[in-house]
Amino acid sequence: MSVYEYRVTGSPAEAAAWTRRQAFFTDLRAVWGRAYPRVSGMFREPSWLFFELLLPLLATSAFVFVYRSLQAPSEYVGFVVLGGAMTAFWLNVIWMMASQLYWEKSQGNLELYFAAPIDIMAILFGMAVGGLVMSTTRAAMILVVASVVYGVAFDVQQPLLLVAVFFLTMTALYGLGMMLASLFLVWGREAQQLTELFTEPVYFVSGLSFPVGRLGMLGALAIAIIPLAVGLDAMRQLAFAGGDIAFGTPSPEIEALILVAMTVVFLFAARWMLRAMEERARRDGRLSLRWQ
Amino acid sequence: MSVSPGSVASGPPAIEARGVRRVYNVKPTAVVALDGVDLDVAPGEFFGLLGPNGAGKTTLIKILTTLLLPSEGTARIFGFDVATDVKRIRRIMNMVAGGEQSGYGILTVREQLWMFSQFYGLPRGDGWRRVDELIEAVGFTEQAQQRVSTLSTGQRQKMNFVRGLLNDPWILFLDEPTLGLDVAAARSVRELVTSWKAAVPGRTVLLTTHYMAEADELCDRIAIVDHGRILAIGSPAELKRRVQRESIFRLELDRLDGGVAALARLPGVVSATPAASASDAADRQTVNLDLVLVEDGALGGVVAALSGLGAHIRSLRKSEPSLEDVFVELVGRGFDEEGSDTAAAPPDGSGPGTAPMDQPEHEPGEPAERERV
């Protein structure tokens, strides 16, 4: 057998006849394959410590000092720290999920992803997994450092629910990211502007620096459609359970159910949109024509 | 297991295209990139699509690699329909394009290749092993631990070629693989292709190129394409014979008493003229002439006559028409002449033969301004 040969197959038809198991494991390997550059890149460019840890920490600190000068309840400092940590995930979703496919297209990667015998969802899952590792590290460091520096006192009475809400927030958030990815690809060049357009408003309506219930109807709307808003609010309620802050939002249990619904809707929508996008791309030539 | 070309020859053709037409619906007017292409490529064949920029070569490759649907007609790869048997085709093919900037600059060559191996289902350990074996086979060991972003264009293309072999494809699509490479790098890529093909003769290659010498050197058969249509198909020799109606020889003699006119009168000689490089010959004190004969057999009479004239032959070379001559004969213009590079090109210039977009190290606007992964 020549060094160039890999699979012992007697004919192209035999080589093309994969079992469902083979196809499934190929998709699974593709997830890790695509996550790999993100995970290894995290250790290879230590500059992220400055950009993604120190700078967000400064922004969080500004709000801490504002609340302290206003003599706000001590929980508000905790709210800001938690919000600062969760910023990492939204930035990751919007920049490295939603607008990523468009960038991959301009690099020629997208064409190779489509030309490979994998489901494109596997690529998006890979991006999500890699992004989660990066963002969780960043969020954890912000949370730990800020909590120690500003003396945040957590009062967690339902730790399992808190963990569950965190993971549900992640699945819903990255599900939204996958959905946006195919949408941004169809929108083409506007993806960059859309990314910028979405960043700040989502920060605001998600209540990253204040309880989202203070936004009234707007906050309720955010809880209904933005995983970050509902997830963060539930986590705040669970992390500072003993305080006498009136959140003015549904209970954490209800919000957990909202997150479950969001996860299902976003993942199915992402899958449907990706298939539609691929079909449209093959019909219109959108994978071949870089200007589109 | 080595598979000879014959063992797959009994199966369906490697490529079978019937009436393939592709129209890009762009404003103000639709662009016809392919206009009724019929093509059969046998398993194990090294087939070339030769044509100027914008001829429709890349569009045809996109269709055959399932990335683009034909507007009309059908195409099959080893019997699998490009419109419906997408996954099956993707399992047995791979593609490498010239100027490809794929992957992530932050990874090493070895890591990048491993990443792509995962998209073809190679188990984790097998992936690393195969990458190492292929890197060694193509003589790329020194660059294995080098970051992709630091590779030269030629090195990068070598890496891309290895990527194309990761899944041991039954059919490999090479779209202008030497585009933008210097002479040495282009030769190196061509050598890689030929050594791979020699090692696995049962594999099929479809090469698009607008370098005629490349097509001539590598391909068993060539289709000359222009304005989305195939104008001629055949082996390089067959195509050249289409334009060679007479036998042309270049002769270098030590002397020729009586001048070229003495030869022009001989039977079977159409013409005998001093060669264009006659001044060089004068420096070397020899006589160079171009001899056009009605057929090769007339050469014997010429050689005998030269002997009678006391002339000694220093060199004798048969001149063959080039593929460019074939193209000019078929199209009525050269590759680089006006009108050869616009008609069938996709409207953005991203299509055949277009230089790649620059790969930014950083994505503007990204908060961290780090390299995208």
Side-chain angles (χ1 to χ4, degrees), chain B residues 103-135:
Chain B
Y104 304 95
I106 200 167
L107 297 179
T108 65
V109 168
R110 189 169 177 265
E111 288 173 325
Q112 168 134 317
L113 290 170
W114 177 81
M115 179 191 78
F116 278 108
S117 79
Q118 298 306 286
F119 303 154
Y120 288 89
L122 276 72
R124 195 170 179 276
D126 282 12
W128 286 117
R129 259 193 304 280
R130 178 143 179 85
V131 165
D132 289 339
E133 284 169 4
L134 288 175
I135 281 177

PDB file of all heavy atoms in Angstrom, chain B residues 103-135:
ATOM      1  N   GLY B 103      -7.642  27.852   6.210  1.00  0.00           N
ATOM      2  CA  GLY B 103      -7.077  27.458   7.501  1.00  0.00           C
ATOM      3  C   GLY B 103      -6.851  28.650   8.415  1.00  0.00           C
ATOM      4  O   GLY B 103      -7.399  29.736   8.203  1.00  0.00           O
ATOM      5  N   TYR B 104      -6.022  28.422   9.406  1.00  0.00           N
ATOM      6  CA  TYR B 104      -5.829  29.429  10.457  1.00  0.00           C
ATOM      7  C   TYR B 104      -4.333  29.639  10.686  1.00  0.00           C
ATOM      8  O   TYR B 104      -3.605  28.697  11.011  1.00  0.00           O
ATOM      9  CB  TYR B 104      -6.527  28.972  11.741  1.00  0.00           C
ATOM     10  CG  TYR B 104      -7.983  28.699  11.476  1.00  0.00           C
ATOM     11  CD1 TYR B 104      -8.426  27.423  11.187  1.00  0.00           C
ATOM     12  CD2 TYR B 104      -8.894  29.743  11.414  1.00  0.00           C
ATOM     13  CE1 TYR B 104      -9.748  27.173  10.874  1.00  0.00           C
ATOM     14  CE2 TYR B 104     -10.218  29.512  11.101  1.00  0.00           C
ATOM     15  CZ  TYR B 104     -10.640  28.226  10.831  1.00  0.00           C
ATOM     16  OH  TYR B 104     -11.949  28.003  10.502  1.00  0.00           O
ATOM     17  N   GLY B 105      -3.921  30.892  10.497  1.00  0.00           N
ATOM     18  CA  GLY B 105      -2.503  31.219  10.566  1.00  0.00           C
ATOM     19  C   GLY B 105      -1.860  30.899  11.900  1.00  0.00           C
ATOM     20  O   GLY B 105      -0.639  30.701  11.980  1.00  0.00           O
ATOM     21  N   ILE B 106      -2.655  30.818  12.932  1.00  0.00           N
ATOM     22  CA  ILE B 106      -2.111  30.606  14.276  1.00  0.00           C
ATOM     23  C   ILE B 106      -1.683  29.143  14.491  1.00  0.00           C
ATOM     24  O   ILE B 106      -0.884  28.839  15.383  1.00  0.00           O
ATOM     25  CB  ILE B 106      -3.161  31.030  15.327  1.00  0.00           C
ATOM     26  CG1 ILE B 106      -2.493  31.284  16.666  1.00  0.00           C
ATOM     27  CG2 ILE B 106      -4.268  30.009  15.460  1.00  0.00           C
ATOM     28  CD1 ILE B 106      -3.390  31.994  17.654  1.00  0.00           C
ATOM     29  N   LEU B 107      -2.188  28.247  13.660  1.00  0.00           N
ATOM     30  CA  LEU B 107      -1.845  26.821  13.795  1.00  0.00           C
ATOM     31  C   LEU B 107      -0.526  26.521  13.095  1.00  0.00           C
ATOM     32  O   LEU B 107      -0.119  27.229  12.176  1.00  0.00           O
ATOM     33  CB  LEU B 107      -2.937  25.953  13.181  1.00  0.00           C
ATOM     34  CG  LEU B 107      -4.327  26.021  13.800  1.00  0.00           C
ATOM     35  CD1 LEU B 107      -5.276  25.100  13.041  1.00  0.00           C
ATOM     36  CD2 LEU B 107      -4.299  25.638  15.268  1.00  0.00           C
ATOM     37  N   THR B 108       0.106  25.429  13.518  1.00  0.00           N
ATOM     38  CA  THR B 108       1.268  24.960  12.773  1.00  0.00           C
ATOM     39  C   THR B 108       0.755  24.157  11.580  1.00  0.00           C
ATOM     40  O   THR B 108      -0.426  23.773  11.535  1.00  0.00           O
ATOM     41  CB  THR B 108       2.159  24.043  13.631  1.00  0.00           C
ATOM     42  OG1 THR B 108       1.417  22.860  13.952  1.00  0.00           O
ATOM     43  CG2 THR B 108       2.617  24.733  14.906  1.00  0.00           C
ATOM     44  N   VAL B 109       1.653  23.907  10.635  1.00  0.00           N
ATOM     45  CA  VAL B 109       1.277  23.135   9.442  1.00  0.00           C
ATOM     46  C   VAL B 109       0.692  21.788   9.859  1.00  0.00           C
ATOM     47  O   VAL B 109      -0.355  21.353   9.362  1.00  0.00           O
ATOM     48  CB  VAL B 109       2.529  22.912   8.567  1.00  0.00           C
ATOM     49  CG1 VAL B 109       2.263  21.883   7.478  1.00  0.00           C
ATOM     50  CG2 VAL B 109       2.988  24.237   7.961  1.00  0.00           C
ATOM     51  N   ARG B 110       1.337  21.145  10.797  1.00  0.00           N
ATOM     52  CA  ARG B 110       0.920  19.818  11.248  1.00  0.00           C
ATOM     53  C   ARG B 110      -0.484  19.889  11.871  1.00  0.00           C
ATOM     54  O   ARG B 110      -1.344  19.057  11.593  1.00  0.00           O
ATOM     55  CB  ARG B 110       1.950  19.317  12.260  1.00  0.00           C
ATOM     56  CG  ARG B 110       1.805  17.894  12.668  1.00  0.00           C
ATOM     57  CD  ARG B 110       3.016  17.439  13.463  1.00  0.00           C
ATOM     58  NE  ARG B 110       2.820  16.068  13.921  1.00  0.00           N
ATOM     59  CZ  ARG B 110       2.348  15.744  15.114  1.00  0.00           C
ATOM     60  NH1 ARG B 110       2.036  16.688  15.987  1.00  0.00           N
ATOM     61  NH2 ARG B 110       2.194  14.487  15.453  1.00  0.00           N
ATOM     62  N   GLU B 111      -0.697  20.909  12.690  1.00  0.00           N
ATOM     63  CA  GLU B 111      -2.000  21.050  13.347  1.00  0.00           C
ATOM     64  C   GLU B 111      -3.101  21.348  12.336  1.00  0.00           C
ATOM     65  O   GLU B 111      -4.204  20.811  12.428  1.00  0.00           O
ATOM     66  CB  GLU B 111      -1.944  22.178  14.377  1.00  0.00           C
ATOM     67  CG  GLU B 111      -1.140  21.824  15.619  1.00  0.00           C
ATOM     68  CD  GLU B 111      -0.961  23.025  16.535  1.00  0.00           C
ATOM     69  OE1 GLU B 111      -0.822  24.160  16.028  1.00  0.00           O
ATOM     70  OE2 GLU B 111      -0.931  22.833  17.753  1.00  0.00           O
ATOM     71  N   GLN B 112      -2.772  22.232  11.399  1.00  0.00           N
ATOM     72  CA  GLN B 112      -3.789  22.594  10.408  1.00  0.00           C
ATOM     73  C   GLN B 112      -4.213  21.369   9.598  1.00  0.00           C
ATOM     74  O   GLN B 112      -5.398  21.150   9.349  1.00  0.00           O
ATOM     75  CB  GLN B 112      -3.237  23.668   9.470  1.00  0.00           C
ATOM     76  CG  GLN B 112      -4.109  23.880   8.251  1.00  0.00           C
ATOM     77  CD  GLN B 112      -4.358  25.335   7.950  1.00  0.00           C
ATOM     78  OE1 GLN B 112      -4.615  26.133   8.853  1.00  0.00           O
ATOM     79  NE2 GLN B 112      -4.274  25.703   6.707  1.00  0.00           N
ATOM     80  N   LEU B 113      -3.228  20.583   9.188  1.00  0.00           N
ATOM     81  CA  LEU B 113      -3.557  19.390   8.407  1.00  0.00           C
ATOM     82  C   LEU B 113      -4.360  18.394   9.250  1.00  0.00           C
ATOM     83  O   LEU B 113      -5.296  17.767   8.755  1.00  0.00           O
ATOM     84  CB  LEU B 113      -2.267  18.745   7.871  1.00  0.00           C
ATOM     85  CG  LEU B 113      -1.570  19.566   6.783  1.00  0.00           C
ATOM     86  CD1 LEU B 113      -0.191  18.988   6.486  1.00  0.00           C
ATOM     87  CD2 LEU B 113      -2.409  19.615   5.510  1.00  0.00           C
ATOM     88  N   TRP B 114      -3.985  18.290  10.513  1.00  0.00           N
ATOM     89  CA  TRP B 114      -4.741  17.383  11.392  1.00  0.00           C
ATOM     90  C   TRP B 114      -6.190  17.852  11.515  1.00  0.00           C
ATOM     91  O   TRP B 114      -7.122  17.045  11.466  1.00  0.00           O
ATOM     92  CB  TRP B 114      -4.082  17.314  12.781  1.00  0.00           C
ATOM     93  CG  TRP B 114      -4.884  16.456  13.713  1.00  0.00           C
ATOM     94  CD1 TRP B 114      -4.872  15.096  13.800  1.00  0.00           C
ATOM     95  CD2 TRP B 114      -5.874  16.899  14.656  1.00  0.00           C
ATOM     96  NE1 TRP B 114      -5.779  14.661  14.737  1.00  0.00           N
ATOM     97  CE2 TRP B 114      -6.408  15.750  15.279  1.00  0.00           C
ATOM     98  CE3 TRP B 114      -6.347  18.153  15.027  1.00  0.00           C
ATOM     99  CZ2 TRP B 114      -7.392  15.824  16.260  1.00  0.00           C
ATOM    100  CZ3 TRP B 114      -7.336  18.228  16.003  1.00  0.00           C
ATOM    101  CH2 TRP B 114      -7.846  17.068  16.607  1.00  0.00           C
ATOM    102  N   MET B 115      -6.355  19.167  11.664  1.00  0.00           N
ATOM    103  CA  MET B 115      -7.712  19.705  11.775  1.00  0.00           C
ATOM    104  C   MET B 115      -8.553  19.280  10.560  1.00  0.00           C
ATOM    105  O   MET B 115      -9.677  18.792  10.705  1.00  0.00           O
ATOM    106  CB  MET B 115      -7.663  21.230  11.868  1.00  0.00           C
ATOM    107  CG  MET B 115      -9.027  21.871  11.963  1.00  0.00           C
ATOM    108  SD  MET B 115      -8.976  23.656  11.757  1.00  0.00           S
ATOM    109  CE  MET B 115      -8.812  23.803   9.984  1.00  0.00           C
ATOM    110  N   PHE B 116      -7.975  19.443   9.375  1.00  0.00           N
ATOM    111  CA  PHE B 116      -8.729  19.065   8.174  1.00  0.00           C
ATOM    112  C   PHE B 116      -8.960  17.550   8.121  1.00  0.00           C
ATOM    113  O   PHE B 116      -9.975  17.097   7.604  1.00  0.00           O
ATOM    114  CB  PHE B 116      -8.022  19.559   6.911  1.00  0.00           C
ATOM    115  CG  PHE B 116      -8.316  21.005   6.611  1.00  0.00           C
ATOM    116  CD1 PHE B 116      -7.351  21.986   6.783  1.00  0.00           C
ATOM    117  CD2 PHE B 116      -9.566  21.394   6.171  1.00  0.00           C
ATOM    118  CE1 PHE B 116      -7.624  23.321   6.517  1.00  0.00           C
ATOM    119  CE2 PHE B 116      -9.854  22.726   5.900  1.00  0.00           C
ATOM    120  CZ  PHE B 116      -8.881  23.695   6.071  1.00  0.00           C
ATOM    121  N   SER B 117      -8.023  16.776   8.658  1.00  0.00           N
ATOM    122  CA  SER B 117      -8.212  15.309   8.645  1.00  0.00           C
ATOM    123  C   SER B 117      -9.451  14.920   9.456  1.00  0.00           C
ATOM    124  O   SER B 117     -10.111  13.926   9.156  1.00  0.00           O
ATOM    125  CB  SER B 117      -6.972  14.603   9.207  1.00  0.00           C
ATOM    126  OG  SER B 117      -6.957  14.649  10.624  1.00  0.00           O
ATOM    127  N   GLN B 118      -9.765  15.728  10.455  1.00  0.00           N
ATOM    128  CA  GLN B 118     -10.933  15.424  11.284  1.00  0.00           C
ATOM    129  C   GLN B 118     -12.246  15.617  10.522  1.00  0.00           C
ATOM    130  O   GLN B 118     -13.253  15.008  10.843  1.00  0.00           O
ATOM    131  CB  GLN B 118     -10.936  16.299  12.546  1.00  0.00           C
ATOM    132  CG  GLN B 118      -9.734  16.073  13.442  1.00  0.00           C
ATOM    133  CD  GLN B 118      -9.567  14.606  13.817  1.00  0.00           C
ATOM    134  OE1 GLN B 118     -10.294  14.065  14.626  1.00  0.00           O
ATOM    135  NE2 GLN B 118      -8.616  13.936  13.185  1.00  0.00           N
ATOM    136  N   PHE B 119     -12.198  16.474   9.506  1.00  0.00           N
ATOM    137  CA  PHE B 119     -13.410  16.706   8.715  1.00  0.00           C
ATOM    138  C   PHE B 119     -13.696  15.529   7.767  1.00  0.00           C
ATOM    139  O   PHE B 119     -14.731  15.486   7.111  1.00  0.00           O
ATOM    140  CB  PHE B 119     -13.308  18.000   7.907  1.00  0.00           C
ATOM    141  CG  PHE B 119     -13.049  19.224   8.759  1.00  0.00           C
ATOM    142  CD1 PHE B 119     -12.420  20.340   8.231  1.00  0.00           C
ATOM    143  CD2 PHE B 119     -13.425  19.260  10.091  1.00  0.00           C
ATOM    144  CE1 PHE B 119     -12.178  21.462   9.010  1.00  0.00           C
ATOM    145  CE2 PHE B 119     -13.187  20.370  10.881  1.00  0.00           C
ATOM    146  CZ  PHE B 119     -12.562  21.478  10.335  1.00  0.00           C
ATOM    147  N   TYR B 120     -12.729  14.633   7.649  1.00  0.00           N
ATOM    148  CA  TYR B 120     -12.924  13.458   6.795  1.00  0.00           C
ATOM    149  C   TYR B 120     -13.039  12.186   7.622  1.00  0.00           C
ATOM    150  O   TYR B 120     -12.954  11.093   7.095  1.00  0.00           O
ATOM    151  CB  TYR B 120     -11.792  13.369   5.766  1.00  0.00           C
ATOM    152  CG  TYR B 120     -11.939  14.445   4.727  1.00  0.00           C
ATOM    153  CD1 TYR B 120     -11.362  15.696   4.899  1.00  0.00           C
ATOM    154  CD2 TYR B 120     -12.726  14.237   3.597  1.00  0.00           C
ATOM    155  CE1 TYR B 120     -11.542  16.715   3.977  1.00  0.00           C
ATOM    156  CE2 TYR B 120     -12.908  15.240   2.664  1.00  0.00           C
ATOM    157  CZ  TYR B 120     -12.313  16.472   2.861  1.00  0.00           C
ATOM    158  OH  TYR B 120     -12.517  17.460   1.940  1.00  0.00           O
ATOM    159  N   GLY B 121     -13.186  12.365   8.930  1.00  0.00           N
ATOM    160  CA  GLY B 121     -13.488  11.222   9.792  1.00  0.00           C
ATOM    161  C   GLY B 121     -12.313  10.371  10.197  1.00  0.00           C
ATOM    162  O   GLY B 121     -12.508   9.264  10.692  1.00  0.00           O
ATOM    163  N   LEU B 122     -11.094  10.841  10.004  1.00  0.00           N
ATOM    164  CA  LEU B 122      -9.961  10.039  10.461  1.00  0.00           C
ATOM    165  C   LEU B 122      -9.936  10.067  11.990  1.00  0.00           C
ATOM    166  O   LEU B 122     -10.000  11.149  12.588  1.00  0.00           O
ATOM    167  CB  LEU B 122      -8.634  10.599   9.930  1.00  0.00           C
ATOM    168  CG  LEU B 122      -8.223  10.163   8.525  1.00  0.00           C
ATOM    169  CD1 LEU B 122      -9.094  10.812   7.481  1.00  0.00           C
ATOM    170  CD2 LEU B 122      -6.761  10.496   8.279  1.00  0.00           C
ATOM    171  N   PRO B 123      -9.834   8.904  12.620  1.00  0.00           N
ATOM    172  CA  PRO B 123      -9.739   8.916  14.080  1.00  0.00           C
ATOM    173  C   PRO B 123      -8.541   9.765  14.509  1.00  0.00           C
ATOM    174  O   PRO B 123      -7.569   9.919  13.752  1.00  0.00           O
ATOM    175  CB  PRO B 123      -9.531   7.447  14.430  1.00  0.00           C
ATOM    176  CG  PRO B 123     -10.108   6.695  13.281  1.00  0.00           C
ATOM    177  CD  PRO B 123      -9.856   7.547  12.076  1.00  0.00           C
ATOM    178  N   ARG B 124      -8.630  10.286  15.737  1.00  0.00           N
ATOM    179  CA  ARG B 124      -7.658  11.267  16.226  1.00  0.00           C
ATOM    180  C   ARG B 124      -6.201  10.846  15.963  1.00  0.00           C
ATOM    181  O   ARG B 124      -5.442  11.559  15.322  1.00  0.00           O
ATOM    182  CB  ARG B 124      -7.890  11.460  17.723  1.00  0.00           C
ATOM    183  CG  ARG B 124      -7.252  12.660  18.310  1.00  0.00           C
ATOM    184  CD  ARG B 124      -7.745  12.877  19.733  1.00  0.00           C
ATOM    185  NE  ARG B 124      -7.103  14.037  20.313  1.00  0.00           N
ATOM    186  CZ  ARG B 124      -5.914  14.030  20.884  1.00  0.00           C
ATOM    187  NH1 ARG B 124      -5.227  12.916  20.962  1.00  0.00           N
ATOM    188  NH2 ARG B 124      -5.392  15.144  21.376  1.00  0.00           N
ATOM    189  N   GLY B 125      -5.850   9.657  16.450  1.00  0.00           N
ATOM    190  CA  GLY B 125      -4.473   9.172  16.305  1.00  0.00           C
ATOM    191  C   GLY B 125      -4.105   8.915  14.854  1.00  0.00           C
ATOM    192  O   GLY B 125      -3.006   9.255  14.408  1.00  0.00           O
ATOM    193  N   ASP B 126      -5.034   8.321  14.110  1.00  0.00           N
ATOM    194  CA  ASP B 126      -4.795   8.059  12.683  1.00  0.00           C
ATOM    195  C   ASP B 126      -4.538   9.363  11.945  1.00  0.00           C
ATOM    196  O   ASP B 126      -3.722   9.420  11.020  1.00  0.00           O
ATOM    197  CB  ASP B 126      -6.029   7.392  12.052  1.00  0.00           C
ATOM    198  CG  ASP B 126      -6.106   5.916  12.386  1.00  0.00           C
ATOM    199  OD1 ASP B 126      -5.348   5.475  13.277  1.00  0.00           O
ATOM    200  OD2 ASP B 126      -6.931   5.217  11.772  1.00  0.00           O
ATOM    201  N   GLY B 127      -5.280  10.400  12.351  1.00  0.00           N
ATOM    202  CA  GLY B 127      -5.125  11.706  11.720  1.00  0.00           C
ATOM    203  C   GLY B 127      -3.705  12.220  11.865  1.00  0.00           C
ATOM    204  O   GLY B 127      -3.071  12.621  10.888  1.00  0.00           O
ATOM    205  N   TRP B 128      -3.179  12.189  13.097  1.00  0.00           N
ATOM    206  CA  TRP B 128      -1.803  12.667  13.324  1.00  0.00           C
ATOM    207  C   TRP B 128      -0.813  11.821  12.526  1.00  0.00           C
ATOM    208  O   TRP B 128       0.121  12.353  11.922  1.00  0.00           O
ATOM    209  CB  TRP B 128      -1.454  12.609  14.813  1.00  0.00           C
ATOM    210  CG  TRP B 128      -2.112  13.669  15.646  1.00  0.00           C
ATOM    211  CD1 TRP B 128      -3.002  13.451  16.656  1.00  0.00           C
ATOM    212  CD2 TRP B 128      -1.951  15.100  15.555  1.00  0.00           C
ATOM    213  NE1 TRP B 128      -3.408  14.654  17.192  1.00  0.00           N
ATOM    214  CE2 TRP B 128      -2.774  15.680  16.541  1.00  0.00           C
ATOM    215  CE3 TRP B 128      -1.204  15.927  14.727  1.00  0.00           C
ATOM    216  CZ2 TRP B 128      -2.863  17.052  16.741  1.00  0.00           C
ATOM    217  CZ3 TRP B 128      -1.279  17.309  14.920  1.00  0.00           C
ATOM    218  CH2 TRP B 128      -2.105  17.857  15.905  1.00  0.00           C
ATOM    219  N   ARG B 129      -1.024  10.489  12.553  1.00  0.00           N
ATOM    220  CA  ARG B 129      -0.099   9.585  11.841  1.00  0.00           C
ATOM    221  C   ARG B 129      -0.103   9.878  10.347  1.00  0.00           C
ATOM    222  O   ARG B 129       0.947   9.988   9.721  1.00  0.00           O
ATOM    223  CB  ARG B 129      -0.504   8.130  12.082  1.00  0.00           C
ATOM    224  CG  ARG B 129       0.366   7.419  13.137  1.00  0.00           C
ATOM    225  CD  ARG B 129       0.140   5.929  13.117  1.00  0.00           C
ATOM    226  NE  ARG B 129      -1.241   5.558  13.302  1.00  0.00           N
ATOM    227  CZ  ARG B 129      -1.857   5.517  14.491  1.00  0.00           C
ATOM    228  NH1 ARG B 129      -1.197   5.848  15.583  1.00  0.00           N
ATOM    229  NH2 ARG B 129      -3.121   5.180  14.592  1.00  0.00           N
ATOM    230  N   ARG B 130      -1.309  10.029   9.805  1.00  0.00           N
ATOM    231  CA  ARG B 130      -1.408  10.249   8.354  1.00  0.00           C
ATOM    232  C   ARG B 130      -0.779  11.582   7.970  1.00  0.00           C
ATOM    233  O   ARG B 130      -0.087  11.683   6.959  1.00  0.00           O
ATOM    234  CB  ARG B 130      -2.873  10.204   7.917  1.00  0.00           C
ATOM    235  CG  ARG B 130      -3.066  10.464   6.445  1.00  0.00           C
ATOM    236  CD  ARG B 130      -4.154   9.635   5.840  1.00  0.00           C
ATOM    237  NE  ARG B 130      -4.331   9.939   4.416  1.00  0.00           N
ATOM    238  CZ  ARG B 130      -3.613   9.393   3.449  1.00  0.00           C
ATOM    239  NH1 ARG B 130      -2.682   8.520   3.725  1.00  0.00           N
ATOM    240  NH2 ARG B 130      -3.832   9.717   2.183  1.00  0.00           N
ATOM    241  N   VAL B 131      -1.030  12.584   8.788  1.00  0.00           N
ATOM    242  CA  VAL B 131      -0.430  13.905   8.521  1.00  0.00           C
ATOM    243  C   VAL B 131       1.089  13.779   8.505  1.00  0.00           C
ATOM    244  O   VAL B 131       1.759  14.272   7.587  1.00  0.00           O
ATOM    245  CB  VAL B 131      -0.893  14.930   9.586  1.00  0.00           C
ATOM    246  CG1 VAL B 131      -0.024  16.179   9.559  1.00  0.00           C
ATOM    247  CG2 VAL B 131      -2.355  15.294   9.377  1.00  0.00           C
ATOM    248  N   ASP B 132       1.647  13.098   9.496  1.00  0.00           N
ATOM    249  CA  ASP B 132       3.110  12.957   9.563  1.00  0.00           C
ATOM    250  C   ASP B 132       3.655  12.190   8.361  1.00  0.00           C
ATOM    251  O   ASP B 132       4.683  12.561   7.791  1.00  0.00           O
ATOM    252  CB  ASP B 132       3.512  12.252  10.868  1.00  0.00           C
ATOM    253  CG  ASP B 132       3.291  13.154  12.081  1.00  0.00           C
ATOM    254  OD1 ASP B 132       3.232  14.387  11.899  1.00  0.00           O
ATOM    255  OD2 ASP B 132       3.159  12.637  13.207  1.00  0.00           O
ATOM    256  N   GLU B 133       2.936  11.147   7.972  1.00  0.00           N
ATOM    257  CA  GLU B 133       3.397  10.343   6.821  1.00  0.00           C
ATOM    258  C   GLU B 133       3.379  11.165   5.536  1.00  0.00           C
ATOM    259  O   GLU B 133       4.327  11.128   4.753  1.00  0.00           O
ATOM    260  CB  GLU B 133       2.494   9.115   6.648  1.00  0.00           C
ATOM    261  CG  GLU B 133       2.759   8.016   7.661  1.00  0.00           C
ATOM    262  CD  GLU B 133       1.687   6.934   7.647  1.00  0.00           C
ATOM    263  OE1 GLU B 133       0.775   6.991   6.797  1.00  0.00           O
ATOM    264  OE2 GLU B 133       1.768   6.040   8.518  1.00  0.00           O
ATOM    265  N   LEU B 134       2.290  11.902   5.362  1.00  0.00           N
ATOM    266  CA  LEU B 134       2.186  12.691   4.128  1.00  0.00           C
ATOM    267  C   LEU B 134       3.198  13.832   4.112  1.00  0.00           C
ATOM    268  O   LEU B 134       3.790  14.143   3.077  1.00  0.00           O
ATOM    269  CB  LEU B 134       0.758  13.236   3.961  1.00  0.00           C
ATOM    270  CG  LEU B 134      -0.306  12.209   3.583  1.00  0.00           C
ATOM    271  CD1 LEU B 134      -1.689  12.829   3.558  1.00  0.00           C
ATOM    272  CD2 LEU B 134      -0.007  11.596   2.208  1.00  0.00           C
ATOM    273  N   ILE B 135       3.390  14.450   5.273  1.00  0.00           N
ATOM    274  CA  ILE B 135       4.371  15.537   5.362  1.00  0.00           C
ATOM    275  C   ILE B 135       5.752  15.006   4.970  1.00  0.00           C
ATOM    276  O   ILE B 135       6.496  15.651   4.224  1.00  0.00           O
ATOM    277  CB  ILE B 135       4.379  16.133   6.790  1.00  0.00           C
ATOM    278  CG1 ILE B 135       3.188  17.087   6.966  1.00  0.00           C
ATOM    279  CG2 ILE B 135       5.680  16.872   7.074  1.00  0.00           C
ATOM    280  CD1 ILE B 135       3.052  17.670   8.360  1.00  0.00           C
TER     281      ILE B 135
END
